[in-house]
Amino acid sequence: MAAIFTGSFDPYTIGHDDILRRALPLFDTIVIGVGHNERKQYMHTVEERVETIRSLYANEPKVRVEAYSDLTVDFARRVGAHFIIKGVRNVKDFEYEREQAELNRRLGGVETLLLLADPSLACVSSSAVRELAHFGQDIQPFLPKP
């Protein structure tokens, strides 16, 4: 059984890593889908994000990493996944992911598995890490170790 774990992952944080590692026992394969939207500004290119994440899971045969720029439900179909994994840090995340889950189920019959963030990581988001980097702060504590 395959699932996708999707996001822009700019950057991929310890929160993302925690969700992925907790989901690994549930699936035969997890494809990390690195989203690319040409209308968005990114800190890193999609190629850099894909390579960074691939290096983290180089020794994990159940994980693949691919870039995508279409609808998440179309990406799921393309890679043969029937589930989407999402992490939820707070009520705001929950409401957004609940709406997306319903759309993905209606559009493609793809179910979404919501995993609650570890409370110690609930403050970690890619946007917060980007903001810290912008102001010259050390972001290494928020990034997974290779």
Side-chain angles (χ1 to χ4, degrees), residues 10-146:
D10 187 36
Y12 190 82
T13 69
I14 55 176
H16 296 129
D17 182 62
D18 180 65
I19 295 293
L20 184 278
R21 291 188 187 280
R22 288 169 43 208
L24 268 175
L26 305 174
F27 298 98
D28 299 322
T29 302
I30 297 178
V31 181
I32 300 175
V34 180
H36 179 71
N37 180 338
E38 292 187 13
R39 296 181 305 260
K40 277 181 83 174
Q41 292 282 336
Y42 294 102
M43 189 167 80
H44 300 97
T45 67
V46 69
E47 295 83 9
E48 290 170 329
R49 290 179 278 147
V50 166
E51 285 309 310
T52 297
I53 299 167
R54 275 187 184 146
S55 70
L56 290 171
Y57 302 106
N59 295 321
E60 178 48 69
K62 292 172 66 171
V63 174
R64 291 191 344 246
V65 184
E66 297 183 21
Y68 78 103
S69 58
D70 52 345
L71 291 174
T72 299
V73 70
D74 293 334
F75 177 64
R77 273 192 213 116
R78 194 168 54 257
V79 299
H82 298 286
F83 295 91
I84 300 169
I85 301 161
K86 297 302 271 189
V88 176
R89 294 169 301 186
N90 52 43
V91 172
K92 182 179 169 185
D93 281 356
F94 175 80
E95 285 300 321
Y96 176 79
E97 296 300 347
R98 184 190 59 76
E99 290 175 8
Q100 295 302 304
E102 181 62 21
L103 282 172
N104 289 323
R105 192 175 60 76
R106 286 179 181 236
L107 287 172
V110 179
E111 291 291 345
T112 300
L113 174 65
L114 299 177
L115 294 178
L116 301 179
D118 180 307
S120 70
L121 301 175
C123 67
V124 179
S125 69
S126 291
S127 57
V129 173
R130 283 194 309 274
E131 185 80 1
L132 291 171
H134 174 76
F135 286 102
Q137 296 296 311
D138 179 14
I139 62 170
Q140 292 308 307
F142 305 103
L143 304 178
K145 310 263 185 286

